Amino acid sequence: MSSAERLQRIFRRLGLQENGATASATQAVLAVDARWVFDEALIRALAQQPNVILVDDDGVPAAIHGQGEAMAVALERLAAGEDIAAVAPDYPRLTALEVGSTYNSELRKKEPPILRRLTTANVREVEKRLFQGSYKGVTDLVTKYVWPAPARVVTRWCALAGVTPNQVTFASFLLVLAAFALFWTGHFGWGLVAAWGMTFLDTVDGKLARVTLTSSKMGNVFDHGIDLIHPPFWWWAWLVGVQAGPHPLGHAELILAVIVGGYVVQRMLEGVFLGLFKVEMHAWRPFDSFFRLITARRNPNLIMLTGASLVGRPDIGLLLVAIWTALSLLVHLVQVLQGLITPRGQVTSWLSR
């Protein structure tokens, strides 16, 4: 999309009314130069700081937020073709770092807000930067290190083709069902193909929603609901497939109870931690962010199951998942206890410091 269309979507998402180039003496007005590409969070922060000019790293004005009679006059001068720098010489000039925060709590990462002058020569570079900005900083090792390059290609293709994030999510839901059926019947190879395909689309749908500014509450619930619910059903189906094969497991009910119960309790502990300390457990300290790479969640578990399946022992893969789930649960319990004994107010994300 063009920079102007992107800005219009941002304004609508933030509830900013478009008035063109007119304003009354009592209105607060945000005038943005569409020759720049802006982070949505940067526009949000700028809208909360009146009487300032936003400049890029070279000191070139890209936006102005003002109010009152002075801004009404400034808009008239902008409409007449004058530069932002000339219309409000008394306004302080702030950079993107001075206006917006470098810490994004939603995506759990520390990153400068995006403000880039758009030219025909740097379109792909800006697209890449926007895609990087849509990625979570704290996640599992497959999502963080394996999927970004192919996901960027597919995300761009979906955006150009008009494919919506909810359509991608629905496709991933179909793969959830396919993987479950294939695991249940002992077709572990094809089941893993469907499972990994689902995890890839699970990466694409969120990035597509963020880069095209089309995320919605319904889509968020649909996506995260699938993510939260399906893993235990996959492991149950895997166990059924294993028990019907040549290497059935002893104490199968106990193994399944450890995997499913451990997963549920881990997710509950993450919620408890967030409720108590208002910070994501995995964003608290560097160790916590590192452990999120490998903790017993879907993708790390799939790595173990894939490796075991490749050597013809899917039963061993499930046993490894059970052991790793128990160890991960122990780590989560320790993290909560450490949070409880930490002095009040000191449990904050290391990424925000």
Side-chain angles (χ1 to χ4, degrees):
M1 72 189 82
S2 67
S3 179
E5 182 182 354
R6 177 181 169 81
L7 285 166
Q8 288 171 338
R9 290 191 185 187
I10 291 175
F11 294 157
R12 287 194 294 268
R13 285 166 59 84
L14 298 180
L16 302 178
Q17 181 180 356
E18 294 184 57
N19 286 335
T22 61
S24 69
T26 59
Q27 284 181 312
V29 178
L30 175 61
V32 181
D33 192 328
R35 292 175 294 179
W36 274 260
V37 174
F38 297 79
D39 202 328
E40 180 180 4
L42 182 58
I43 297 293
R44 182 188 299 112
L46 183 61
Q48 297 171 356
Q49 299 186 46
N51 303 328
V52 298
I53 292 177
L54 174 67
V55 298
D56 65 13
D57 292 339
D58 297 322
V60 180
I64 179 172
H65 182 199
Q67 61 186 19
E69 186 66 35
M71 193 58 194
V73 173
L75 278 179
E76 292 178 1
R77 296 171 68 180
L78 282 173
E82 293 191 43
D83 189 82
I84 287 178
V87 301
D90 297 330
Y91 280 11
R93 301 186 178 200
L94 303 180
T95 65
L97 284 175
E98 292 171 320
V99 170
S101 172
T102 59
Y103 177 57
N104 187 323
S105 59
E106 179 184 355
L107 298 181
R108 300 192 294 271
K109 65 179 178 180
K110 189 172 185 177
E111 187 175 62
I114 299 169
L115 178 61
R116 295 291 300 274
R117 177 69 179 267
L118 187 63
T119 68
T120 55
N122 72 353
V123 170
R124 287 302 182 90
E125 180 188 348
V126 172
E127 284 183 352
K128 181 178 180 180
R129 177 67 179 83
L130 288 172
F131 180 80
Q132 290 173 339
S134 72
Y135 233 90
K136 288 183 179 179
V138 179
T139 185
D140 67 87
L141 74 170
V142 176
T143 303
K144 191 176 183 70
Y145 298 117
V146 180
W147 290 151
R152 182 186 164 210
V153 174
V154 175
T155 298
R156 188 174 191 277
W157 178 86
C158 288
L160 291 172
V163 177
T164 68
N166 284 345
Q167 288 171 335
V168 177
T169 303
F170 183 72
S172 73
F173 174 66
L174 294 179
L175 289 176
V176 166
L177 300 179
F180 176 83
L182 290 164
F183 291 157
W184 187 279
T185 55
H187 296 89
F188 299 111
W190 286 112
L192 286 167
V193 170
W196 282 118
M198 182 273 167
T199 72
F200 177 70
L201 293 183
D202 185 41
T203 291
V204 170
D205 60 5
K207 312 307 172 291
L208 180 63
R210 294 186 192 110
V211 298
T212 59
L213 300 165
T214 54
S215 58
S216 64
K217 289 183 178 180
M218 184 189 73
N220 190 56
V221 170
F222 185 30
D223 179 34
H224 287 87
I226 293 173
D227 292 347
L228 183 66
I229 294 172
H230 80 268
F233 289 94
W234 277 4
W235 317 145
W236 172 39
W238 190 283
L239 177 63
V240 171
V242 164
Q243 295 304 89
H247 303 288
L249 286 164
H251 307 290
E253 293 81 4
L254 176 61
I255 291 172
L256 185 62
V258 169
I259 294 174
V260 175
Y263 171 79
V264 172
V265 175
Q266 281 184 74
R267 300 308 298 262
M268 291 176 61
L269 289 175
E270 291 172 9
V272 168
F273 194 96
L274 180 61
L276 288 174
F277 309 114
K278 311 306 178 187
V279 62
E280 294 275 358
M281 172 188 288
H282 301 296
W284 178 18
R285 302 163 301 187
F287 169 80
D288 305 310
S289 296
F290 163 77
F291 194 71
R292 177 63 180 87
L293 291 170
I294 58 175
T295 191
R297 295 272 282 267
R298 181 191 63 203
N299 289 0
N301 287 350
L302 280 176
I303 292 175
M304 289 184 280
L305 293 175
T306 300
S309 183
L310 287 174
V311 298
R313 294 301 301 268
D315 57 315
I316 293 179
L318 197 65
L319 185 59
L320 291 174
V321 168
I323 294 171
W324 185 234
T325 298
L327 292 175
S328 296
L329 175 59
L330 179 61
V331 172
H332 279 58
L333 286 169
V334 171
Q335 288 169 309
V336 173
L337 292 175
Q338 289 175 329
L340 290 172
I341 64 175
T342 300
R344 188 178 182 86
Q346 293 189 19
V347 179
T348 59
S349 174
W350 70 281
L351 296 166
S352 65
R353 299 166 196 161

